[in-house]
Amino acid sequence: MPEIVELLASPVHRFEGRPSDGPAPAPEGELTGEIRIRAGLGIVGDRYFNHRAHKDASVTVIAAGSLPAGAGLAQVRRNVLISGVAVDDLIGSVLTLDSGDGPVRLAVRRAAAPCAWMDVTLGPGGHAALRGRGGVRCVPLDDGVLRVGPVTVSITAEASTAA
Protein backbone atom coordinates (compact mmCIF):
# COMPACT_ATOMS: atom_id res chain seq x y z
CA MET A 1 0.00 0.00 0.00
CA PRO A 2 1.30 3.50 -0.77
CA GLU A 3 2.45 5.54 2.19
CA ILE A 4 3.32 9.15 2.91
CA VAL A 5 6.73 8.69 4.53
CA GLU A 6 7.55 12.32 5.42
CA LEU A 7 6.06 15.79 5.10
CA LEU A 8 7.92 19.10 5.06
CA ALA A 9 6.60 22.65 5.37
CA SER A 10 9.47 25.07 5.83
CA PRO A 11 8.99 28.80 6.33
CA VAL A 12 12.55 29.51 5.12
CA HIS A 13 14.63 28.80 2.03
CA ARG A 14 17.73 26.91 3.28
CA PHE A 15 19.66 26.62 0.01
CA GLU A 16 20.95 30.16 -0.49
CA GLY A 17 24.38 31.22 -1.58
CA ARG A 18 26.84 28.65 -2.82
CA PRO A 19 26.49 24.92 -2.19
CA SER A 20 30.07 24.84 -0.88
CA ASP A 21 28.93 27.11 1.98
CA GLY A 22 26.41 24.49 3.10
CA PRO A 23 22.68 24.92 3.77
CA ALA A 24 21.27 27.17 6.46
CA PRO A 25 20.15 25.41 9.65
CA ALA A 26 16.75 23.75 9.52
CA PRO A 27 14.02 25.54 11.46
CA GLU A 28 12.37 23.52 14.19
CA GLY A 29 9.22 21.74 13.07
CA GLU A 30 9.74 21.82 9.29
CA LEU A 31 9.37 18.02 9.20
CA THR A 32 5.85 17.43 10.41
CA GLY A 33 3.20 14.76 10.77
CA GLU A 34 0.63 16.72 8.77
CA ILE A 35 0.35 19.59 6.35
CA ARG A 36 -2.62 21.80 5.49
CA ILE A 37 -3.07 22.56 1.81
CA ARG A 38 -5.06 25.39 0.24
CA ALA A 39 -6.29 25.15 -3.34
CA GLY A 40 -4.20 27.26 -5.70
CA LEU A 41 -2.03 28.57 -2.84
CA GLY A 42 0.08 25.69 -1.55
CA ILE A 43 1.01 24.47 1.91
CA VAL A 44 0.10 26.68 4.86
CA GLY A 45 3.32 27.78 6.57
CA ASP A 46 5.61 26.83 3.69
CA ARG A 47 7.98 29.36 2.11
CA TYR A 48 6.16 29.08 -1.24
CA PHE A 49 2.60 29.50 0.08
CA ASN A 50 0.81 32.02 -2.15
CA HIS A 51 4.13 32.94 -3.80
CA ARG A 52 3.53 34.23 -7.34
CA ALA A 53 6.72 32.74 -8.78
CA HIS A 54 5.67 29.29 -7.57
CA LYS A 55 1.96 29.42 -8.37
CA ASP A 56 2.23 26.35 -10.66
CA ALA A 57 4.70 24.58 -8.38
CA SER A 58 3.68 25.21 -4.78
CA VAL A 59 3.63 21.54 -3.70
CA THR A 60 6.47 19.16 -4.53
CA VAL A 61 6.22 15.38 -4.34
CA ILE A 62 9.09 12.88 -4.60
CA ALA A 63 9.11 9.09 -4.64
CA ALA A 64 10.91 7.43 -1.72
CA GLY A 65 12.60 5.06 -4.18
CA SER A 66 14.40 8.00 -5.78
CA LEU A 67 16.43 8.73 -2.65
CA PRO A 68 19.47 6.94 -1.27
CA ALA A 69 19.04 5.05 2.00
CA GLY A 70 18.83 7.41 4.97
CA ALA A 71 17.95 10.50 2.91
CA GLY A 72 14.72 12.40 3.31
CA LEU A 73 12.93 15.65 2.67
CA ALA A 74 15.34 17.73 4.74
CA GLN A 75 18.04 16.95 2.17
CA VAL A 76 16.02 17.35 -1.04
CA ARG A 77 13.64 20.13 0.07
CA ARG A 78 10.49 18.60 -1.39
CA ASN A 79 7.18 18.65 0.52
CA VAL A 80 5.82 15.11 0.25
CA LEU A 81 7.87 11.90 0.32
CA ILE A 82 5.72 9.00 -0.85
CA SER A 83 6.39 5.31 -1.30
CA GLY A 84 4.59 3.09 -3.78
CA VAL A 85 3.96 5.75 -6.44
CA ALA A 86 6.20 6.52 -9.45
CA VAL A 87 5.53 10.26 -9.34
CA ASP A 88 8.06 11.22 -12.01
CA ASP A 89 5.81 9.58 -14.63
CA LEU A 90 2.74 11.67 -13.70
CA ILE A 91 3.35 15.01 -15.45
CA GLY A 92 0.07 16.15 -16.99
CA SER A 93 -2.01 14.04 -14.59
CA VAL A 94 -3.89 14.70 -11.39
CA LEU A 95 -2.54 12.85 -8.37
CA THR A 96 -5.18 12.41 -5.66
CA LEU A 97 -3.98 11.59 -2.15
CA ASP A 98 -6.25 10.72 0.78
CA SER A 99 -4.55 10.04 4.09
CA GLY A 100 -7.81 9.85 6.00
CA ASP A 101 -9.09 13.43 5.97
CA GLY A 102 -10.55 13.44 2.47
CA PRO A 103 -8.99 13.62 -0.98
CA VAL A 104 -6.48 16.28 -1.98
CA ARG A 105 -6.01 16.61 -5.75
CA LEU A 106 -2.66 17.81 -7.06
CA ALA A 107 -2.31 18.81 -10.72
CA VAL A 108 1.17 17.55 -11.66
CA ARG A 109 2.63 20.36 -13.79
CA ARG A 110 6.33 19.64 -14.31
CA ALA A 111 9.45 17.89 -13.11
CA ALA A 112 11.23 19.16 -10.02
CA ALA A 113 14.76 19.23 -11.38
CA PRO A 114 17.54 18.61 -8.87
CA CYS A 115 20.15 21.29 -8.27
CA ALA A 116 23.86 21.33 -7.41
CA TRP A 117 22.93 21.39 -3.70
CA MET A 118 22.17 17.65 -3.98
CA ASP A 119 25.92 16.97 -4.21
CA VAL A 120 26.21 18.61 -0.78
CA THR A 121 23.10 17.33 1.00
CA LEU A 122 23.02 13.80 -0.47
CA GLY A 123 26.74 13.49 -1.16
CA PRO A 124 28.88 13.50 -4.30
CA GLY A 125 26.87 12.32 -7.29
CA GLY A 126 23.53 13.21 -5.68
CA HIS A 127 22.70 15.78 -8.35
CA ALA A 128 23.31 13.36 -11.22
CA ALA A 129 21.49 10.52 -9.43
CA LEU A 130 18.29 12.58 -9.14
CA ARG A 131 18.13 13.70 -12.79
CA GLY A 132 14.77 12.48 -14.06
CA ARG A 133 13.92 11.28 -10.53
CA GLY A 134 13.76 14.57 -8.60
CA GLY A 135 10.01 14.52 -8.10
CA VAL A 136 7.25 16.72 -9.47
CA ARG A 137 5.88 20.22 -8.95
CA CYS A 138 2.15 20.45 -8.44
CA VAL A 139 -0.75 22.86 -8.06
CA PRO A 140 -3.20 21.92 -5.31
CA LEU A 141 -6.77 21.78 -6.60
CA ASP A 142 -8.44 21.28 -3.20
CA ASP A 143 -8.15 22.46 0.38
CA GLY A 144 -7.25 19.58 2.66
CA VAL A 145 -4.89 17.84 5.03
CA LEU A 146 -2.23 15.23 4.33
CA ARG A 147 -0.77 13.09 7.11
CA VAL A 148 2.19 10.74 7.41
CA GLY A 149 1.09 7.12 7.06
CA PRO A 150 -0.96 4.99 4.67
CA VAL A 151 -2.49 6.90 1.77
CA THR A 152 -5.09 6.07 -0.85
CA VAL A 153 -3.85 7.14 -4.28
CA SER A 154 -5.65 7.68 -7.57
CA ILE A 155 -4.33 9.11 -10.81
CA THR A 156 -6.50 10.69 -13.49
CA ALA A 157 -6.05 12.73 -16.64
CA GLU A 158 -5.90 16.46 -15.89
CA ALA A 159 -8.78 17.22 -18.26
CA SER A 160 -11.15 15.54 -15.79
CA THR A 161 -10.58 18.39 -13.29
CA ALA A 162 -12.19 21.07 -15.47
CA ALA A 163 -15.11 22.73 -13.73
Side-chain angles (χ1 to χ4, degrees):
M1 172 174 212
E3 180 181 0
I4 294 176
V5 178
E6 278 187 319
L7 294 166
L8 181 141
S10 183
V12 297
H13 187 63
R14 293 185 46 226
F15 294 172
E16 294 184 317
R18 296 185 176 162
S20 61
D21 297 335
E28 191 172 320
E30 73 175 3
L31 289 174
T32 183
E34 74 176 45
I35 56 175
R36 296 196 174 281
I37 295 177
R38 297 283 311 276
L41 299 174
I43 298 169
V44 176
D46 189 73
R47 64 202 176 279
Y48 295 126
F49 182 77
N50 198 24
H51 194 279
R52 279 182 71 126
H54 293 273
K55 184 172 173 89
D56 279 348
S58 61
V59 178
T60 53
V61 183
I62 190 167
S66 294
L67 300 180
L73 295 178
Q75 289 81 30
V76 294
R77 309 305 293 162
R78 305 298 190 248
N79 302 117
V80 180
L81 179 62
I82 191 167
S83 66
V85 181
V87 299
D88 296 296
D89 299 332
L90 300 180
I91 295 169
S93 300
V94 173
L95 172 64
T96 303
L97 303 175
D98 188 341
S99 58
D101 292 287
V104 176
R105 295 175 304 142
L106 302 171
V108 182
R109 295 288 193 231
R110 64 183 190 265
C115 66
W117 281 94
M118 299 305 102
D119 285 336
V120 174
T121 62
L122 295 176
H127 179 225
L130 282 183
R131 283 193 192 123
R133 302 170 33 136
V136 291
R137 298 187 181 280
C138 308
V139 175
L141 302 175
D142 304 302
D143 291 351
V145 174
L146 293 177
R147 297 179 194 280
V148 168
V151 63
T152 302
V153 175
S154 65
I155 300 159
T156 57
E158 189 164 0
S160 67
T161 64

Short mmCIF file of all heavy atoms in Angstrom, two decimals, residues 44-96:
data_model
loop_
_atom_site.label_atom_id
_atom_site.label_comp_id
_atom_site.label_asym_id
_atom_site.label_seq_id
_atom_site.Cartn_x
_atom_site.Cartn_y
_atom_site.Cartn_z
N VAL A 44 0.13 25.65 3.83
CA VAL A 44 0.10 26.68 4.86
C VAL A 44 1.39 26.60 5.68
O VAL A 44 1.78 25.53 6.14
CB VAL A 44 -1.14 26.51 5.77
CG1 VAL A 44 -1.11 27.52 6.91
CG2 VAL A 44 -2.42 26.65 4.95
N GLY A 45 2.08 27.72 5.81
CA GLY A 45 3.32 27.78 6.57
C GLY A 45 4.58 27.51 5.77
O GLY A 45 5.68 27.69 6.28
N ASP A 46 4.44 27.10 4.51
CA ASP A 46 5.61 26.83 3.69
C ASP A 46 6.09 28.12 3.02
O ASP A 46 5.31 29.05 2.76
CB ASP A 46 5.27 25.79 2.61
CG ASP A 46 6.50 25.32 1.87
OD1 ASP A 46 7.28 24.55 2.47
OD2 ASP A 46 6.69 25.71 0.70
N ARG A 47 7.36 28.16 2.70
CA ARG A 47 7.98 29.36 2.11
C ARG A 47 7.38 29.73 0.76
O ARG A 47 7.51 30.86 0.32
CB ARG A 47 9.48 29.15 1.98
CG ARG A 47 9.87 28.03 1.01
CD ARG A 47 11.26 27.50 1.31
NE ARG A 47 11.63 26.39 0.47
CZ ARG A 47 11.27 25.12 0.67
NH1 ARG A 47 10.49 24.82 1.67
NH2 ARG A 47 11.69 24.17 -0.12
N TYR A 48 6.73 28.78 0.06
CA TYR A 48 6.16 29.08 -1.24
C TYR A 48 4.64 29.26 -1.20
O TYR A 48 4.01 29.38 -2.25
CB TYR A 48 6.53 27.99 -2.26
CG TYR A 48 8.02 27.95 -2.52
CD1 TYR A 48 8.73 26.77 -2.37
CD2 TYR A 48 8.72 29.08 -2.90
CE1 TYR A 48 10.10 26.74 -2.61
CE2 TYR A 48 10.08 29.06 -3.13
CZ TYR A 48 10.75 27.88 -2.98
OH TYR A 48 12.11 27.85 -3.22
N PHE A 49 4.05 29.31 -0.03
CA PHE A 49 2.60 29.50 0.08
C PHE A 49 2.22 30.84 -0.52
O PHE A 49 2.77 31.88 -0.16
CB PHE A 49 2.16 29.44 1.55
CG PHE A 49 0.68 29.59 1.74
CD1 PHE A 49 -0.17 28.53 1.48
CD2 PHE A 49 0.14 30.79 2.16
CE1 PHE A 49 -1.54 28.66 1.64
CE2 PHE A 49 -1.23 30.93 2.33
CZ PHE A 49 -2.07 29.86 2.07
N ASN A 50 1.31 30.82 -1.48
CA ASN A 50 0.81 32.02 -2.15
C ASN A 50 1.94 32.89 -2.72
O ASN A 50 1.86 34.10 -2.72
CB ASN A 50 -0.07 32.85 -1.21
CG ASN A 50 -0.94 33.84 -1.96
OD1 ASN A 50 -1.25 33.66 -3.14
ND2 ASN A 50 -1.33 34.90 -1.29
N HIS A 51 2.98 32.25 -3.21
CA HIS A 51 4.13 32.94 -3.80
C HIS A 51 3.95 32.94 -5.31
O HIS A 51 3.90 31.89 -5.94
CB HIS A 51 5.41 32.18 -3.41
CG HIS A 51 6.67 32.93 -3.63
ND1 HIS A 51 7.26 33.01 -4.86
CD2 HIS A 51 7.46 33.61 -2.78
CE1 HIS A 51 8.36 33.71 -4.76
NE2 HIS A 51 8.51 34.08 -3.51
N ARG A 52 3.82 34.12 -5.90
CA ARG A 52 3.53 34.23 -7.34
C ARG A 52 4.46 33.41 -8.22
O ARG A 52 4.02 32.75 -9.16
CB ARG A 52 3.60 35.68 -7.80
CG ARG A 52 2.37 36.47 -7.49
CD ARG A 52 2.53 37.87 -8.03
NE ARG A 52 2.46 37.83 -9.49
CZ ARG A 52 1.64 38.55 -10.21
NH1 ARG A 52 0.82 39.38 -9.61
NH2 ARG A 52 1.62 38.46 -11.51
N ALA A 53 5.75 33.44 -7.93
CA ALA A 53 6.72 32.74 -8.78
C ALA A 53 6.54 31.23 -8.73
O ALA A 53 7.03 30.52 -9.61
CB ALA A 53 8.14 33.12 -8.36
N HIS A 54 5.85 30.73 -7.73
CA HIS A 54 5.67 29.29 -7.57
C HIS A 54 4.20 28.88 -7.65
O HIS A 54 3.83 27.81 -7.17
CB HIS A 54 6.29 28.83 -6.25
CG HIS A 54 7.77 28.97 -6.26
ND1 HIS A 54 8.60 28.00 -6.75
CD2 HIS A 54 8.57 29.99 -5.89
CE1 HIS A 54 9.85 28.41 -6.67
NE2 HIS A 54 9.86 29.62 -6.15
N LYS A 55 3.39 29.69 -8.29
CA LYS A 55 1.96 29.42 -8.37
C LYS A 55 1.66 28.05 -9.00
O LYS A 55 0.79 27.34 -8.55
CB LYS A 55 1.27 30.52 -9.17
CG LYS A 55 -0.23 30.37 -9.21
CD LYS A 55 -0.87 31.57 -9.85
CE LYS A 55 -2.33 31.37 -10.06
NZ LYS A 55 -3.18 31.75 -9.00
N ASP A 56 2.43 27.66 -10.02
CA ASP A 56 2.23 26.35 -10.66
C ASP A 56 3.14 25.28 -10.09
O ASP A 56 3.32 24.23 -10.70
CB ASP A 56 2.46 26.46 -12.17
CG ASP A 56 1.25 27.01 -12.89
OD1 ASP A 56 0.17 27.10 -12.29
OD2 ASP A 56 1.39 27.36 -14.08
N ALA A 57 3.74 25.54 -8.93
CA ALA A 57 4.70 24.58 -8.38
C ALA A 57 4.76 24.66 -6.86
O ALA A 57 5.80 24.46 -6.27
CB ALA A 57 6.07 24.86 -8.97
N SER A 58 3.65 24.94 -6.22
CA SER A 58 3.68 25.21 -4.78
C SER A 58 3.76 23.98 -3.90
O SER A 58 4.06 24.08 -2.72
CB SER A 58 2.49 26.06 -4.37
OG SER A 58 1.28 25.38 -4.66
N VAL A 59 3.51 22.79 -4.45
CA VAL A 59 3.63 21.54 -3.70
C VAL A 59 4.52 20.61 -4.50
O VAL A 59 4.28 20.38 -5.69
CB VAL A 59 2.26 20.88 -3.46
CG1 VAL A 59 2.42 19.55 -2.73
CG2 VAL A 59 1.33 21.81 -2.67
N THR A 60 5.58 20.09 -3.86
CA THR A 60 6.47 19.16 -4.53
C THR A 60 6.35 17.78 -3.90
O THR A 60 6.23 17.64 -2.69
CB THR A 60 7.93 19.65 -4.47
OG1 THR A 60 8.28 19.91 -3.12
CG2 THR A 60 8.12 20.91 -5.30
N VAL A 61 6.37 16.78 -4.76
CA VAL A 61 6.22 15.38 -4.34
C VAL A 61 7.38 14.59 -4.93
O VAL A 61 7.70 14.76 -6.11
CB VAL A 61 4.88 14.80 -4.83
CG1 VAL A 61 4.70 13.37 -4.33
CG2 VAL A 61 3.71 15.67 -4.39
N ILE A 62 8.00 13.73 -4.12
CA ILE A 62 9.09 12.88 -4.60
C ILE A 62 8.85 11.45 -4.13
O ILE A 62 8.32 11.23 -3.03
CB ILE A 62 10.48 13.42 -4.14
CG1 ILE A 62 11.61 12.67 -4.85
CG2 ILE A 62 10.61 13.39 -2.63
CD1 ILE A 62 12.97 13.34 -4.71
N ALA A 63 9.24 10.50 -4.96
CA ALA A 63 9.11 9.09 -4.64
C ALA A 63 10.24 8.67 -3.70
O ALA A 63 11.41 9.01 -3.93
CB ALA A 63 9.15 8.25 -5.91
N ALA A 64 9.91 7.91 -2.67
CA ALA A 64 10.91 7.43 -1.72
C ALA A 64 12.00 6.61 -2.42
O ALA A 64 13.17 6.69 -2.04
CB ALA A 64 10.24 6.62 -0.62
N GLY A 65 11.64 5.88 -3.45
CA GLY A 65 12.60 5.06 -4.18
C GLY A 65 13.64 5.85 -4.95
O GLY A 65 14.63 5.29 -5.40
N SER A 66 13.44 7.15 -5.08
CA SER A 66 14.40 8.00 -5.78
C SER A 66 15.57 8.40 -4.89
O SER A 66 16.60 8.86 -5.40
CB SER A 66 13.73 9.28 -6.29
OG SER A 66 12.78 8.97 -7.28
N LEU A 67 15.42 8.24 -3.59
CA LEU A 67 16.43 8.73 -2.65
C LEU A 67 17.33 7.61 -2.15
O LEU A 67 16.88 6.48 -1.97
CB LEU A 67 15.76 9.40 -1.45
CG LEU A 67 14.87 10.60 -1.76
CD1 LEU A 67 14.28 11.15 -0.48
CD2 LEU A 67 15.66 11.66 -2.50
N PRO A 68 18.59 7.94 -1.87
CA PRO A 68 19.47 6.94 -1.27
C PRO A 68 19.01 6.62 0.16
O PRO A 68 18.33 7.43 0.79
CB PRO A 68 20.85 7.61 -1.28
CG PRO A 68 20.60 9.06 -1.46
CD PRO A 68 19.27 9.22 -2.11
N ALA A 69 19.40 5.46 0.64
CA ALA A 69 19.04 5.05 2.00
C ALA A 69 19.45 6.12 3.01
O ALA A 69 20.54 6.69 2.92
CB ALA A 69 19.72 3.72 2.34
N GLY A 70 18.55 6.43 3.92
CA GLY A 70 18.83 7.41 4.97
C GLY A 70 18.52 8.84 4.61
O GLY A 70 18.55 9.71 5.46
N ALA A 71 18.25 9.12 3.33
CA ALA A 71 17.95 10.50 2.91
C ALA A 71 16.46 10.75 3.01
O ALA A 71 15.64 9.83 2.93
CB ALA A 71 18.42 10.73 1.48
N GLY A 72 16.12 12.02 3.21
CA GLY A 72 14.72 12.40 3.31
C GLY A 72 14.48 13.79 2.80
O GLY A 72 15.31 14.39 2.11
N LEU A 73 13.34 14.34 3.18
CA LEU A 73 12.93 15.65 2.67
C LEU A 73 13.84 16.78 3.13
O LEU A 73 13.99 17.77 2.42
CB LEU A 73 11.49 15.93 3.09
CG LEU A 73 10.44 14.99 2.48
CD1 LEU A 73 9.05 15.35 3.00
CD2 LEU A 73 10.48 15.04 0.97
N ALA A 74 14.44 16.67 4.28
CA ALA A 74 15.34 17.73 4.74
C ALA A 74 16.51 17.92 3.78
O ALA A 74 17.01 19.04 3.63
CB ALA A 74 15.86 17.42 6.15
N GLN A 75 16.93 16.85 3.11
CA GLN A 75 18.04 16.95 2.17
C GLN A 75 17.60 17.43 0.79
O GLN A 75 18.33 18.15 0.13
CB GLN A 75 18.74 15.59 2.02
CG GLN A 75 19.53 15.16 3.23
CD GLN A 75 18.66 14.54 4.31
OE1 GLN A 75 17.64 13.93 4.03
NE2 GLN A 75 19.07 14.71 5.55
N VAL A 76 16.43 17.01 0.33
CA VAL A 76 16.02 17.35 -1.04
C VAL A 76 15.04 18.50 -1.13
O VAL A 76 14.72 18.98 -2.22
CB VAL A 76 15.47 16.12 -1.80
CG1 VAL A 76 16.57 15.09 -2.00
CG2 VAL A 76 14.27 15.53 -1.10
N ARG A 77 14.52 18.95 0.00
CA ARG A 77 13.64 20.13 0.07
C ARG A 77 12.37 19.98 -0.77
O ARG A 77 11.89 20.93 -1.36
CB ARG A 77 14.39 21.40 -0.33
CG ARG A 77 15.70 21.62 0.38
CD ARG A 77 15.62 21.61 1.88
NE ARG A 77 14.88 22.76 2.34
CZ ARG A 77 14.35 22.85 3.55
NH1 ARG A 77 14.44 21.87 4.39
NH2 ARG A 77 13.71 23.92 3.90
N ARG A 78 11.80 18.80 -0.79
CA ARG A 78 10.49 18.60 -1.39
C ARG A 78 9.49 18.57 -0.23
O ARG A 78 9.89 18.51 0.93
CB ARG A 78 10.43 17.28 -2.19
CG ARG A 78 11.49 17.13 -3.28
CD ARG A 78 11.37 18.20 -4.36
NE ARG A 78 12.23 17.90 -5.49
CZ ARG A 78 13.29 18.62 -5.81
NH1 ARG A 78 13.66 19.66 -5.09
NH2 ARG A 78 14.01 18.30 -6.88
N ASN A 79 8.20 18.60 -0.54
CA ASN A 79 7.18 18.65 0.52
C ASN A 79 6.63 17.31 0.94
O ASN A 79 6.30 17.10 2.10
CB ASN A 79 6.01 19.53 0.09
CG ASN A 79 6.40 20.93 -0.24
OD1 ASN A 79 6.25 21.37 -1.38
ND2 ASN A 79 6.93 21.66 0.73
N VAL A 80 6.46 16.40 -0.02
CA VAL A 80 5.82 15.11 0.25
C VAL A 80 6.73 14.00 -0.24
O VAL A 80 7.07 13.95 -1.42
CB VAL A 80 4.44 15.01 -0.44
CG1 VAL A 80 3.78 13.66 -0.14
CG2 VAL A 80 3.52 16.16 -0.02
N LEU A 81 7.10 13.09 0.67
CA LEU A 81 7.87 11.90 0.32
C LEU A 81 6.91 10.73 0.39
O LEU A 81 6.33 10.46 1.44
CB LEU A 81 9.03 11.71 1.30
CG LEU A 81 9.93 10.49 1.07
CD1 LEU A 81 10.64 10.56 -0.28
CD2 LEU A 81 10.94 10.37 2.20
N ILE A 82 6.72 10.06 -0.76
CA ILE A 82 5.72 9.00 -0.85
C ILE A 82 6.35 7.72 -1.37
O ILE A 82 7.20 7.76 -2.25
CB ILE A 82 4.53 9.45 -1.73
CG1 ILE A 82 3.36 8.49 -1.64
CG2 ILE A 82 4.97 9.68 -3.16
CD1 ILE A 82 2.07 9.03 -2.24
N SER A 83 5.94 6.61 -0.80
CA SER A 83 6.39 5.31 -1.30
C SER A 83 5.24 4.66 -2.07
O SER A 83 4.08 4.93 -1.80
CB SER A 83 6.84 4.41 -0.15
OG SER A 83 5.74 4.08 0.67
N GLY A 84 5.60 3.83 -3.03
CA GLY A 84 4.59 3.09 -3.78
C GLY A 84 3.98 3.81 -4.95
O GLY A 84 3.03 3.32 -5.56
N VAL A 85 4.49 4.99 -5.31
CA VAL A 85 3.96 5.75 -6.44
C VAL A 85 5.14 6.30 -7.25
O VAL A 85 6.01 6.97 -6.71
CB VAL A 85 3.07 6.94 -5.97
CG1 VAL A 85 2.52 7.70 -7.17
CG2 VAL A 85 1.96 6.47 -5.06
N ALA A 86 5.16 6.02 -8.55
CA ALA A 86 6.20 6.52 -9.45
C ALA A 86 5.81 7.92 -9.91
O ALA A 86 5.30 8.11 -11.01
CB ALA A 86 6.38 5.57 -10.63
N VAL A 87 6.04 8.91 -9.08
CA VAL A 87 5.53 10.26 -9.34
C VAL A 87 6.17 10.93 -10.55
O VAL A 87 5.53 11.76 -11.20
CB VAL A 87 5.66 11.18 -8.10
CG1 VAL A 87 4.86 10.65 -6.94
CG2 VAL A 87 7.10 11.40 -7.71
N ASP A 88 7.39 10.56 -10.89
CA ASP A 88 8.06 11.22 -12.01
C ASP A 88 7.39 10.95 -13.35
O ASP A 88 7.62 11.67 -14.31
CB ASP A 88 9.54 10.80 -12.06
CG ASP A 88 10.28 11.27 -10.82
OD1 ASP A 88 10.39 12.49 -10.63
OD2 ASP A 88 10.72 10.41 -10.04
N ASP A 89 6.53 9.93 -13.40
CA ASP A 89 5.81 9.58 -14.63
C ASP A 89 4.45 10.27 -14.74
O ASP A 89 3.71 10.00 -15.68
CB ASP A 89 5.58 8.06 -14.68
CG ASP A 89 6.88 7.28 -14.68
OD1 ASP A 89 7.91 7.82 -15.15
OD2 ASP A 89 6.87 6.13 -14.20
N LEU A 90 4.11 11.14 -13.80
CA LEU A 90 2.74 11.67 -13.70
C LEU A 90 2.52 13.06 -14.27
O LEU A 90 1.44 13.62 -14.13
CB LEU A 90 2.28 11.65 -12.24
CG LEU A 90 2.27 10.28 -11.56
CD1 LEU A 90 1.79 10.41 -10.13
CD2 LEU A 90 1.41 9.30 -12.35
N ILE A 91 3.50 13.65 -14.93
CA ILE A 91 3.35 15.01 -15.45
C ILE A 91 2.16 15.04 -16.42
O ILE A 91 2.02 14.20 -17.29
CB ILE A 91 4.65 15.48 -16.12
CG1 ILE A 91 5.75 15.58 -15.05
CG2 ILE A 91 4.44 16.82 -16.83
CD1 ILE A 91 7.13 15.77 -15.60
N GLY A 92 1.28 16.02 -16.19
CA GLY A 92 0.07 16.15 -16.99
C GLY A 92 -1.12 15.44 -16.38
O GLY A 92 -2.22 15.50 -16.94
N SER A 93 -0.93 14.77 -15.26
CA SER A 93 -2.01 14.04 -14.59
C SER A 93 -2.43 14.77 -13.32
O SER A 93 -1.83 15.75 -12.92
CB SER A 93 -1.52 12.65 -14.19
OG SER A 93 -1.12 11.91 -15.31
N VAL A 94 -3.48 14.24 -12.71
CA VAL A 94 -3.89 14.70 -11.39
C VAL A 94 -3.65 13.54 -10.43
O VAL A 94 -4.17 12.44 -10.61
CB VAL A 94 -5.37 15.14 -11.36
CG1 VAL A 94 -5.81 15.45 -9.94
CG2 VAL A 94 -5.56 16.35 -12.26
N LEU A 95 -2.85 13.81 -9.42
CA LEU A 95 -2.54 12.85 -8.37
C LEU A 95 -3.45 13.18 -7.19
O LEU A 95 -3.42 14.28 -6.67
CB LEU A 95 -1.07 12.99 -7.97
CG LEU A 95 -0.59 12.22 -6.74
CD1 LEU A 95 -0.69 10.71 -6.98
CD2 LEU A 95 0.85 12.62 -6.42
N THR A 96 -4.28 12.21 -6.80
CA THR A 96 -5.18 12.41 -5.66
C THR A 96 -4.68 11.57 -4.50
O THR A 96 -4.48 10.36 -4.63
CB THR A 96 -6.63 12.02 -6.02
OG1 THR A 96 -7.04 12.80 -7.15
CG2 THR A 96 -7.56 12.29 -4.85
#
